[in-house]
Amino acid sequence: MTDLVLSESLAAARTRLAEALNAAGRPADAARLLAVSKTKPAAMIREAWHLGQREFGENYVQEALDKQAELTDLDPIVWHFIGPLQSNKTREVAEHFAWVHSVDREKIARRLNDQRPAALGPLDICLQVNISDEASKSGVSLEALPALAEAVLALPRLRLRGLMAIPAPAEGRDAQRAPFARLREALEGLRERFPEAPLDTLSMGMSADLEAAVLEGATLVRLGTAIFGERSARE
């Protein structure tokens, strides 16, 4: 993707988000764009950075670390880890990311807490919810969510910010909105139960369902292909 095309696609993504927020009657700054850069080279992240994008989402730990090493001259970049997280990768994530969206069990949360360098400050956390009850998807169930949230809130080097979900594909705006509404309601329930927690984040919405997610209160929308183009065969 050339500089010109990337500038156009990123501008189009920003316009789409702005229009969705306006249609939902929400403030222009109520949701942020997370550029999902997995499988894309560091050079493309650098281009997006020069176009004003600051938050990037990665799925693969070693790939992300390689890019981070190449982009140390760019400040600030806010790195979000959004993929499935295995126990043997928690240290690298705890040391090199600002956000983790994919925490779905207490063991992973405790490892991230124990391995987070104190000098970096708390690691911002979203709990991944299996909102469509898919056997193939990661995520905590809605029933188990309050207990996991309580456990994470007790960990001093983590800061629980909200919830993330990847719903099953659905046709039609109403069908798309339904799982996002359940996630929003789940976050509202956590706010009532834990009123002192900084629960301000709903990480939901991708290229196919951004508008539905924004209508239900998304604060971080994750766009990859729409910004960077088609991904490699790894995906």
Side-chain angles (χ1 to χ4, degrees):
M1 182 178 284
T2 66
D3 289 357
L4 177 61
V5 173
L6 181 58
S7 67
E8 292 175 348
S9 62
L10 184 55
R14 290 168 173 162
T15 297
R16 184 179 173 192
L17 176 57
E19 291 176 347
L21 286 165
N22 183 62
R26 299 177 60 198
D29 61 353
R32 309 194 309 278
L33 180 64
L34 179 60
V36 178
S37 46
K38 62 181 180 180
T39 79
K40 296 301 179 181
M44 293 188 75
I45 297 175
R46 184 179 295 276
E47 292 173 17
W49 186 91
H50 283 293
L51 293 166
Q53 181 65 29
R54 292 295 181 266
E55 298 187 82
F56 296 89
E58 291 283 333
N59 285 56
Y60 309 113
V61 175
Q62 189 55 55
E63 177 190 324
L65 296 180
D66 292 344
K67 294 176 189 178
Q68 290 175 2
E70 192 172 336
L71 298 169
T72 54
D73 59 308
L74 301 184
D75 185 45
I77 288 183
V78 181
W79 294 102
H80 296 243
F81 189 80
I82 61 176
L85 184 53
Q86 299 173 334
S87 295
N88 64 348
K89 297 293 186 180
T90 53
R91 182 175 296 279
E92 290 95 334
V93 170
E95 293 176 350
H96 292 93
F97 285 82
W99 285 75
V100 180
H101 292 225
S102 48
V103 174
D104 62 359
R105 55 198 188 278
E106 186 176 347
K107 176 184 177 182
I108 293 295
R110 289 193 176 278
R111 288 181 65 86
L112 289 170
N113 177 79
D114 294 346
Q115 295 165 345
R116 178 69 168 177
L120 294 181
L123 180 63
D124 286 317
I125 296 293
C126 288
L127 302 181
Q128 183 171 353
V129 180
N130 189 347
I131 202 67
S132 300
D133 292 324
E134 295 177 273
S136 61
K137 290 272 180 70
S138 301
V140 64
S141 68
L142 285 173
E143 293 73 23
L145 177 61
L148 179 59
E150 186 171 18
V152 171
L153 286 168
L155 298 173
R157 294 187 183 179
L158 304 185
R159 180 166 49 216
L160 181 58
R161 297 292 297 275
L163 304 177
M164 184 271 265
I166 308 172
E171 294 294 331
R173 184 64 51 81
D174 289 345
Q176 290 179 339
R177 288 183 67 171
F180 293 137
R182 292 196 296 273
L183 195 71
R184 173 180 49 77
E185 291 163 0
L187 184 65
E188 291 169 355
L190 293 182
R191 286 173 175 158
E192 292 178 4
R193 185 163 182 161
F194 308 108
E196 302 303 315
L199 295 165
D200 58 3
T201 301
L202 281 172
S203 170
M204 60 189 196
M206 297 186 289
S207 294
D209 53 17
L210 179 152
E211 286 78 11
V214 168
L215 283 168
E216 294 297 339
T219 64
L220 274 173
V221 295
R222 309 182 303 272
L223 294 185
T225 303
I227 295 172
F228 295 109
E230 293 297 326
R231 297 196 180 102
S232 70
R234 181 173 189 177
E235 287 300 295

